[in-house]
Amino acid sequence: MSDRATVLMARIDELAKFSEEPHRLVRRSLTPALQQANDLVASWMLAAGMTVRQDAVGNLVGTYAGVAGASKTLILGSHLDSVRDAGKYDGPLGVLAALACVERLHEEGQRLPFAVEVISFVDEEGLRFRTSYLGSSALAGSFNPSWLDYQDEQGVVLADALRRFGGDPADIASCRRNSDDLLGYCEVHIEQGPVLEAEDLPVGVVDGIAGQDRLTVEFTGVAGHAGTVPMARRHDALCAAAELVLAVERTGQATDGLVATMGQIAAEPGASNVIPGHVTLSLDVRHRDDAVRTRAVAALHDEATAIAQRRGVHLVWTSMQSTPAVPCSPQLIGRLAHAIEELGFKVQHLTSGAGHDAVPMASLTDAAMLFVRCKGGISHNPAESVRLDDVNVSLETLYRFVLGMQRDMAL
Ligand code: HGY
Ligand code: MN
Ligand code: MN
């Protein structure tokens, strides 16, 4: 067992201390907590012989130069932002695995015929502004300028948060990368599912990533006195929302391979003796087949419209972001599979229901993901955990994958 895995696990614990809340891990994008995490990772990058910068959209970018004249770059990375009450491996495992790979190259005095970049993308989860992939979208050229006007729960506008973070909303175009300059992108990530544990395998290769729609749904009814408005005369926005939540669950259950979730809800004015006049919900719909997902979203919109009409409330249905399902690169999948076989493990292929920065990156360059077994498949939960020996296998796999890129370039 290399002590790189042990070092990585200790670093995971150090990063987990950077949170916006004292008793649970919440590290939203463009916050001081994320800056602290970026600064610590940047110090490790510098010690590994990398140059370090934060780009205009807030991505942390470490570069390990190739041999003189190297013109291409292999990007490795993941994200350091988190969901609310998060586990500590979702994202940081990938950033630190990429860093460990470069540290090994540096310690062995290796320079490759290409540069290796380690990127911690600024907002993969989308917790703060409800749009995921802000950082990787900027690299891919798919950053939507309208996102700059999005506000967080405290009313902070994304553009202002970005400026405070040291970014430059007017210069996001400078983050865009040229596909011709890239060899590919590879991300190590916890599986966040049960397959590797069921197969008793440490790692697996991702064939494709499901598409997802993220929406905001608002019902506006009539606030009123809980003690005086007769039930038959109410336009209760929360009851309308409750009907939709169960309709979303029914649609997910009835459609093979579809997952649909309403994870956030806010009822206003939020008093026990006031009939809720306004409710805002989030809606997250995913499937590996874009047509199935699109049909499901349309059907749920129809259902929400019917509920609103029946209850005499007003509906606002807003798509925040829609990202297609993406296949991973067969070539890079093959390289990851080869590295796994060299280590003596069966190659397990997986589809990812979770979204990742590899989604926008797949529109820019060949993209691949290596999944690492996680206990019970649990994620987006403080109980998230991985085994040291599995982390060790992932580091060895990634290192062999990177050297394999060199070998193939020499051919
Ligand atoms: O929501 C997701 O799939 C990822 O965790 N951002
Ligand atoms: Mn993640
Ligand atoms: Mn996540």
Side-chain angles (χ1 to χ4, degrees):
M1 175 88 64
S2 86
D3 70 353
R4 288 184 210 287
T6 309
V7 166
L8 184 148
M9 297 294 259
R11 288 174 168 174
I12 290 268
D13 291 337
E14 282 188 75
L15 289 173
K17 293 172 191 163
F18 301 135
S19 174
E20 295 175 71
E21 297 185 18
H23 304 301
R24 60 181 185 171
L25 178 53
V26 183
R27 191 164 59 226
R28 297 173 301 158
S29 66
L30 302 173
T31 58
L34 183 66
Q35 190 63 71
Q36 285 178 296
N38 276 5
D39 292 347
L40 182 57
V41 170
S43 69
W44 293 329
M45 288 175 164
L46 290 168
M50 303 174 87
T51 56
V52 178
R53 65 188 175 90
Q54 197 163 283
D55 70 11
V57 77
N59 296 318
L60 175 67
V61 182
T63 304
Y64 184 72
V67 297
S71 59
K72 297 262 186 185
T73 298
L74 172 68
I75 299 179
L76 309 174
S78 192
H79 60 95
L80 295 179
D81 69 304
S82 80
V83 293
R84 190 167 278 122
D85 200 12
K88 56 189 176 182
Y89 299 95
D90 173 0
L93 175 65
V95 173
L96 295 177
L99 174 61
C101 182
V102 170
E103 282 177 327
R104 184 169 173 182
L105 292 169
H106 184 239
E107 285 158 21
E108 292 173 355
Q110 291 219 51
R111 288 285 173 187
L112 305 178
F114 49 87
V116 179
E117 272 189 11
V118 174
I119 299 184
S120 172
F121 291 106
V122 69
D123 182 336
E124 189 279 335
E125 297 289 2
L127 171 61
R128 186 170 183 187
F129 299 101
R130 290 192 191 167
T131 51
S132 51
Y133 313 145
L134 289 182
S136 41
S137 298
L139 264 75
S142 53
F143 184 95
N144 184 331
S146 70
W147 297 343
L148 291 168
D149 299 326
Y150 282 12
Q151 296 184 18
D152 69 9
E153 293 152 328
Q154 289 74 36
V156 176
V157 174
L158 196 163
D160 294 337
L162 180 53
R163 273 187 280 271
R164 281 186 217 139
F165 197 73
D168 180 357
D171 193 29
I172 289 177
S174 71
C175 301
R176 182 166 193 169
R177 298 301 179 86
N178 182 334
S179 303
D180 295 339
D181 300 338
L182 301 179
L183 280 180
Y185 172 74
C186 187
E187 178 170 356
V188 175
H189 202 286
I190 51 172
E191 178 198 347
Q192 300 174 305
V195 175
L196 292 175
E197 195 168 60
E199 296 293 325
D200 192 21
L201 289 169
V203 294
V205 183
V206 177
D207 284 340
I209 302 167
Q212 56 177 271
D213 275 294
R214 294 195 180 193
L215 303 101
T216 298
V217 181
E218 296 175 78
F219 286 108
T220 304
V222 179
H225 195 301
T228 59
V229 180
M231 294 306 285
R233 298 172 64 85
R234 294 186 175 199
H235 302 285
D236 185 328
L238 186 51
C239 291
E243 269 202 70
L244 182 61
V245 170
L246 293 179
V248 164
E249 183 188 43
R250 275 197 307 275
T251 301
Q253 288 168 337
T255 314
D256 178 43
L258 188 85
V259 284
T261 314
M262 299 196 101
Q264 291 171 306
I265 186 167
E268 296 165 51
S272 64
N273 58 352
V274 178
I275 302 164
H278 185 264
V279 174
T280 305
L281 307 104
S282 65
L283 174 59
D284 179 313
V285 181
R286 309 187 189 201
H287 198 279
R288 63 185 175 281
D289 178 331
D290 291 342
V292 173
R293 170 173 53 85
T294 306
R295 276 199 304 274
V297 171
L300 287 170
H301 185 195
D302 293 345
E303 181 98 37
T305 304
I307 292 168
Q309 277 163 357
R310 212 168 35 248
R311 291 178 169 275
V313 301
H314 178 65
L315 168 70
V316 176
W317 184 269
T318 310
S319 173
M320 305 298 284
Q321 191 175 42
S322 184
T323 45
V326 295
C328 290
S329 154
Q331 198 183 17
L332 297 194
I333 289 170
R335 289 207 180 106
L336 278 176
H338 180 70
I340 293 168
E341 281 166 342
E342 277 184 342
L343 293 169
F345 295 103
K346 183 189 97 167
V347 178
Q348 177 68 47
H349 291 265
L350 301 147
T351 297
S352 175
H356 301 284
D357 286 304
V359 169
M361 293 302 286
S363 67
L364 176 66
T365 186
D366 284 346
M369 292 193 75
L370 180 71
F371 272 179
V372 181
R373 168 170 45 188
C374 62
K375 190 161 184 284
I378 296 170
S379 182
H380 285 189
N381 179 317
E384 198 177 271
S385 74
V386 294
R387 288 167 31 177
L388 180 66
D389 54 341
D390 290 353
V391 170
N392 191 53
V393 171
S394 72
L395 298 185
E396 191 58 43
T397 304
L398 183 64
Y399 187 70
R400 289 166 182 254
F401 167 84
V402 171
L403 293 188
M405 300 290 279
Q406 170 184 226
R407 199 174 38 247
D408 294 354
M409 280 185 81
L411 297 179

